[in-house]
Amino acid sequence: MQKSKTDLRYISKFLEDFKINHNKLLEKLQELESRITYRNRYGFIHGELGPDHFIVNNKLVPYVIDIEGAEFFDIEYEHAFLHIRFGDHYHFFDNDKLDPYRMLFYQYYHHISLTAGFLKLLHRGFPNQQFAESIIKHQSENALSFIKG
């Protein structure tokens, strides 16, 4: 949660809607986190799984790549990211054993994280400014939707 707080502060410096609603956004983060109960079992996750994290050799054997962030953690973290990344096609990954409170928390977490991450890229001179701005717009709107009725 500390990363999300830091990200919210960063975003609030540059996006007016986040500046105006900073306290509400922070309260929502705390509310969503408070619904999560203790867990003693975790799954092995990639951390940012997507189609570009697989390669297939000439014998059609798949390999997972870019695994430096892989760890044992809440599988909802990965699923929330997959849901954002695949949108309408997420149903291919759907899992009825996921904790709905964790899913909601991580969805919100990822919207905040992606907004902050692409803002930072934009500020560092990311070459595709239009792409970065579109991600910022989309993810910030999704984050703000958590506090709007």
Side-chain angles (χ1 to χ4, degrees):
M1 177 146 115
Q2 187 58 43
K3 182 183 180 311
S4 291
K5 288 180 181 180
T6 302
D7 286 344
L8 280 173
R9 279 192 302 274
Y10 184 80
I11 298 166
S12 295
K13 292 178 187 177
F14 302 100
L15 299 183
E16 191 64 26
D17 284 345
F18 276 72
K19 183 177 183 179
I20 292 167
N21 293 293
H22 180 81
N23 289 339
K24 288 180 186 176
L25 291 159
L26 187 56
E27 287 169 11
K28 179 54 79 172
L29 185 66
Q30 292 165 335
E31 173 197 327
L32 293 173
E33 183 189 39
S34 74
R35 294 179 188 171
I36 296 173
T37 57
Y38 175 77
R39 166 185 279 170
N40 61 6
R41 292 190 69 184
Y42 298 91
F44 191 70
I45 66 165
H46 182 276
E48 57 177 15
L49 193 60
D52 53 340
H53 292 111
F54 290 91
I55 58 171
V56 179
N57 71 10
N58 60 357
K59 294 180 182 176
L60 300 180
V61 176
Y63 293 90
V64 178
I65 61 169
D66 191 18
I67 61 169
E68 71 276 353
E71 64 182 324
F72 284 96
F73 196 61
D74 290 330
I75 62 171
E76 291 85 359
Y77 180 93
E78 191 90 77
H79 276 269
F81 187 77
L82 288 168
H83 191 269
I84 290 169
R85 194 152 193 195
F86 287 94
D88 293 339
H89 302 290
Y90 171 73
H91 66 276
F92 292 109
F93 304 99
D94 205 4
N95 178 336
D96 62 356
K97 294 181 176 148
L98 299 173
D99 177 339
Y101 294 124
R102 277 183 167 79
M103 279 296 290
L104 203 54
F105 173 79
Y106 288 124
Q107 284 172 344
Y108 186 54
Y109 169 90
H110 286 308
H111 293 313
I112 292 168
S113 178
L114 288 165
T115 301
F118 276 89
L119 262 174
K120 290 172 186 175
L121 285 174
L122 193 67
H123 296 151
R124 293 180 192 140
F126 185 69
N128 192 339
Q129 300 272 304
Q130 188 175 8
F131 174 73
E133 288 170 358
S134 71
I135 297 291
I136 293 164
K137 182 179 184 323
H138 182 73
Q139 295 303 328
S140 65
E141 288 172 355
N142 285 326
L144 289 164
S145 74
F146 275 76
I147 62 165
K148 310 236 172 157

